[in-house]
């Protein structure tokens, strides 16, 4: 993102499809499409190195897809600098559909803001005040694996495809365990927190594993070996496939096999088979090729949708909603499906002072959190900076000018959220798609704080109506024209929406 800005662009819109596999080069002076047919089937890591060589500039920044993106696997990802993955929602398949193997960006222009000195002053002030550079910050110390102990203690650590909420061998996979094999810290552009860990064990090294990967590539598969999770992570990154959805899909196959519903030939704890399944899924070949359709596709063919742990076809991340009811609402209302990024009420529920086992007030809580989050993400601020809307408003003022009280900042987030909901509704996703897998209503967890507490579908549905009402949507979860107009959404977008949706 930063390099693109230095190249003079805020965003790039790519239309059409290249005749042969290509990479797109962008700098301030030229933008070219360059065929690279020889890179077909090449992993993300090697692709990145080869494109750097082709460009002839080691400072160029690269986005790549692996074989999974080329195969248009619906949960393929885009890799960046062998470091971060744009993991969720299958965006790698979008590049693959355009025959776009990589994007190489080099920038050298200045970036201007309304008030440069004010920006620098605020940056220093916030870093000191919010402690984002403090070495006693646990996210700095351990990265996201620090969450393993918290999730275990709260009894919501997805284990064996969310059939349990505690994992016996969790200490093999917690923050301390991964710190033991850490080679280095890593940070994204301009970040003072540096939550990233570069780890190495045996022949495998990777940036990570993040908490979600530890869960979906470890505990949820019944695998408690650190080396196996590292290898799973490295393989997924290189093949260009989302660790969460990949792990979630393998977990479904394992449980289906264990319960005798269908023999996928893989059981909980099968480390070697898991690694082979990753390769098969990413390349759509071999024994587990059809798992490239994810839990949604598999469960439509083989049944038992209650074991297909997804929302709107996207596999759930590493928090069992039975231990944090607000997360359930966040999962079903997140625009891209089962996603933990739109709101994080678990921090207030399981790890705060709000009752995690009630839906009372949670619809409103989640909606408010989403509005703040979407304003924050629109500005490109990392989730790990606990910035509030007031502080964000100060940053808006020095960046864009004008006055940005917190209400106006939140309205930015609300507008973005509603725009995305409009898209979902036009694509056919309304109240009926805002559902959790039936497992969460039908089975109770057996250990820890959530033990034996039922989460009823009736209470969930009631909370959803409260959520829709607070958002100014109708009872089917569709934004009303009045709401969209009040947010200042452009008339031509509202016209498009109403031409496709009968409200
Ligand atoms: S920007 Fe966020 S994700 Fe990246 S290193 Fe910093 S804290 Fe971690």
């Amino acid at each position: 993102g930063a390099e693109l800005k230095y190249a003079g662009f805020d965003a790039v819109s790519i239309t059409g499809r290249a005749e042969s596999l290509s990479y797109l080069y962008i700098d301030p002076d030229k933008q070219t499409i360059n065929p690279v047919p020889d890179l077909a089937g090449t992993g993300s890591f090697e692709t990145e190195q080869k494109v750097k060589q082709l460009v002839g500039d080691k400072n160029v920044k690269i986005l790549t897809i692996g074989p999974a993106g080329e195969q248009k696997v619906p949960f393929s990802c885009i890799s960046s600098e062998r470091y971060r993955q744009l993991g969720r929602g299958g965006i790698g398949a979008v590049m693959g559909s355009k025959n776009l193997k990589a994007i190489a960006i080099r920038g050298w222009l200045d970036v201007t803001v309304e008030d440069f000195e004010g920006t620098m002053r605020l940056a220093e002030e916030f870093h000191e005040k919010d402690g984002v550079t403090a070495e006693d910050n646990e996210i700095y110390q351990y990265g996201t694996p620090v969450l393993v102990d918290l999730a275990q203690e709260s009894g919501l650590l997805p284990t064996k495809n969310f059939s349990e909420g505690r994992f016996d061998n969790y200490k093999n996979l917690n923050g301390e365990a991964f710190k033991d094999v850490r080679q280095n810290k890593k940070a994204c552009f301009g970040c003072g927190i540096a939550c990233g860990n570069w780890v190495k064990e045996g022949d495998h090294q990777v940036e990570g594993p993040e908490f979600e990967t530890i869960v979906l590539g470890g505990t949820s598969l019944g695998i408690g070996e650190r080396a196996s999770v590292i290898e799973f992570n490295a393989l997924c990154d290189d093949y260009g496939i989302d660790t969460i959805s990949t792990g979630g899909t393998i977990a479904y196959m394992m449980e289906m096999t264990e319960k005798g519903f269908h023999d996928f030939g893989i059981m909980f704890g099968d480390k070697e088979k898991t690694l082979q399944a990753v390769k098969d899924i990413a390349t759509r070949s071999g024994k587990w090729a059809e798992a490239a359709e994810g839990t949604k596709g598999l469960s439509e063919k083989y049944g038992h949708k209650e074991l297909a742990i997804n929302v709107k076809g996207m596999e759930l991340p590493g928090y069992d909603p039975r231990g944090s009811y607000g997360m359930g609402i966040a999962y079903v209302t997140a625009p891209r499906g089962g996603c933990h990024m739109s709101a994080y009420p678990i921090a207030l529920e399981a790890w705060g002072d709000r009752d995690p086992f009630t839906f009372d007030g949670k619809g409103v809580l989640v909606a408010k959190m989403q509005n703040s989050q979407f304003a924050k993400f629109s500005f490109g601020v990392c989730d790990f900076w606990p910035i509030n809307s007031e502080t964000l408003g100060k940053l808006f003022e020095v960046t864009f000018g004008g006055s940005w009280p917190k209400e106006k900042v939140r309205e930015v987030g609300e507008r973005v959220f509603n725009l995305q909901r409009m898209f979902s509704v036009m694509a056919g996703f309304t109240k009926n798609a805002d559902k959790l897998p039936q497992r969460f209503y039908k089975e109770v967890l057996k250990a820890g704080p959530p033990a034996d507490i039922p989460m009823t579908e009736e209470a969930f549905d009631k909370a959803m109506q409260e959520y829709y009402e607070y958002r100014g949507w109708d009872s089917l979860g569709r934004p009303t024209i009045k709401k969209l107009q009040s947010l200042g959404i452009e008339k031509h977008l509202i016209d498009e929406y109403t031409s496709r949706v009968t409200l």
Side-chain angles (χ1 to χ4, degrees), residues 83-84 139 186-188 191 193-196 382-384:
Y83 172 49
R84 291 294 190 210
I139 283 288
K186 288 276 287 180
C188 303
C191 175
I193 300 176
C195 75
C382 175
D383 200 25
F384 294 134

